[in-house]
Amino acid sequence: MNKKTLHILIVLLLTLVAVSTRTYWRGSVLEWMAAGVFIVMAGIPHGSLDHKLAQHRNKNLKLLFYILGYVAAAVFFLVVWLWFPGWAFLLFLLLTAWHFGETDIASLGFHKTSPVLVFVYGTALTSWLLLQEPATLLYWTGIITHNSKVALTAVQWITGIPVLIWFGIVAVIVIFNPNVTLFTWPQRLLFLLFLYLVSKTSLLIGFILYFSGWHSISAMLHVHHAVFSRSGFKTMLKQALPYTAAAVLFLFAIAWLSDGTWLSNHALPALFVLLSILTLPHMTEMHKLYMHPNPEGKS
């Protein structure tokens, strides 16, 4: 059994457990605790090696200046959130769609990709993950964006599209992937089953299962191949640990310093915004990795 099949089976098993036990955790503190654990264990660590990608491309990189630039980009996006929450929310969704698309298209083994394919797949996938509970999404959009008209109007428009259409678009791209060597038929069917079952959990847990369980681990495997293929996975995790801790402390510091009522009154919006501010610099580094013709290193 190869690593990709094992990865799909693990996230599928976790999703089946979540679905079968949802009456016990849904809407309770357990849901929040599970989301937090998954984010700390995989979500944040998968972005903690961006400096290694940069150093791999540029051996003369000054780490201190890189970190300062990285933090500055995150702070800039936070300022955008504070001043223009509606537009920041929409920008974040577009960045998320592109980032998810790039990572999955690489994992699916496409030899030749186009920006259109990446964005269509990423948009359909992100819509599928977020539109399972339209009323809940609208509620949190209002809180996150301080009832921004532009954000609420956009979400209301997109919720009018039947959610299965988004899943259908994802399924068509997965099924008609011409590379049957890197992504076999059993893997495709199991992957689509996983994506379908996340919709039977909850908006929060479904998104976290994909984001932390599938996307983050896939991205780490890509980084491992690009930078740590000789030193091993354990070495990579050790390298990620201090920067993961620093990222967690940075998020706590921002949360403590931010006193906007829209940010501090609810845990989910705060978590959403604080994680999103790291998206811009992280997505930039991963995009540079995916510009390589084959991030997984296979032909």
Side-chain angles (χ1 to χ4, degrees):
M1 182 183 298
N2 64 29
K3 289 185 292 186
K4 188 172 293 181
T5 301
L6 180 61
H7 184 193
I8 298 172
L9 288 174
I10 290 173
V11 294
L12 180 58
L13 177 61
L14 289 171
T15 306
L16 286 169
V17 170
V19 171
S20 62
T21 60
R22 61 183 172 180
T23 55
Y24 298 99
W25 55 259
R26 194 165 183 170
S28 72
V29 68
L30 292 175
E31 184 172 3
W32 296 94
M33 290 175 62
V37 168
F38 272 89
I39 288 172
V40 171
M41 289 185 63
I44 294 177
H46 98 281
S48 298
L49 294 164
D50 290 347
H51 65 292
K52 287 296 180 180
L53 287 173
Q55 287 177 325
H56 185 70
R57 291 193 315 273
N58 180 9
K59 304 300 182 183
N60 298 317
L61 181 76
K62 301 296 183 181
L63 184 58
L64 177 60
F65 290 110
Y66 174 81
I67 293 174
L68 290 175
Y70 199 100
V71 172
V75 171
F76 170 77
F77 198 22
L78 176 63
V79 172
V80 175
W81 266 110
L82 293 172
W83 284 93
F84 308 103
W87 290 106
F89 178 75
L90 296 180
L91 175 61
F92 173 68
L93 291 183
L94 291 173
L95 292 176
T96 298
W98 178 264
H99 184 48
F100 284 177
E102 277 197 313
T103 303
D104 272 15
I105 290 299
S107 295
L108 297 179
F110 278 86
H111 285 314
K112 297 179 180 180
T113 62
S114 70
V116 174
L117 177 65
V118 168
F119 190 68
V120 168
Y121 174 91
T123 299
L125 173 67
T126 305
S127 299
W128 169 251
L129 294 172
L130 294 179
L131 295 178
Q132 298 301 325
E133 301 174 16
T136 304
L137 179 61
L138 279 168
Y139 171 74
W140 287 117
T141 299
I143 293 174
I144 291 169
T145 66
H146 202 49
N147 290 316
S148 164
K149 185 176 180 180
V150 64
L152 289 171
T153 300
V155 172
Q156 285 173 338
W157 177 82
I158 203 169
T159 54
I161 301 174
V163 68
L164 281 175
I165 289 180
W166 300 116
F167 183 78
I169 294 172
V170 171
V172 166
I173 293 174
V174 170
I175 290 172
F176 287 96
N177 173 11
N179 193 336
V180 294
T181 303
L182 278 185
F183 207 59
T184 64
W185 280 106
Q187 290 173 338
R188 298 174 195 214
L189 296 176
L190 289 172
F191 178 66
L192 289 175
L193 178 60
F194 157 66
L195 288 182
Y196 177 75
L197 288 176
V198 296
S199 69
K200 304 301 179 183
T201 56
S202 71
L203 177 62
L204 176 61
I205 293 300
F207 186 85
I208 291 299
L209 281 167
Y210 171 82
F211 170 65
S212 294
W214 174 257
H215 166 79
S216 298
I217 301 301
S218 295
M220 290 179 74
L221 290 173
H222 298 161
V223 173
H224 173 260
H225 172 78
V227 182
F228 295 94
S229 56
R230 294 183 179 180
S231 53
F233 205 80
K234 190 177 294 184
T235 299
M236 182 182 75
L237 294 179
K238 288 181 180 178
Q239 293 278 347
L241 186 60
Y243 293 92
T244 298
V248 172
L249 290 174
F250 173 71
L251 293 176
F252 272 112
I254 293 295
W256 180 68
L257 292 172
S258 300
D259 57 359
T261 56
W262 64 277
L263 182 63
S264 60
N265 282 349
H266 300 274
L268 182 58
L271 179 64
F272 183 90
V273 172
L274 294 175
L275 289 174
S276 76
I277 66 176
L278 298 176
T279 296
L280 187 61
H282 168 65
M283 189 201 75
T284 301
E285 284 301 329
M286 294 304 292
H287 175 67
K288 292 174 182 177
L289 170 65
Y290 294 130
M291 291 298 289
H292 187 282
N294 198 346
E296 292 208 328
K298 298 177 184 178
S299 57

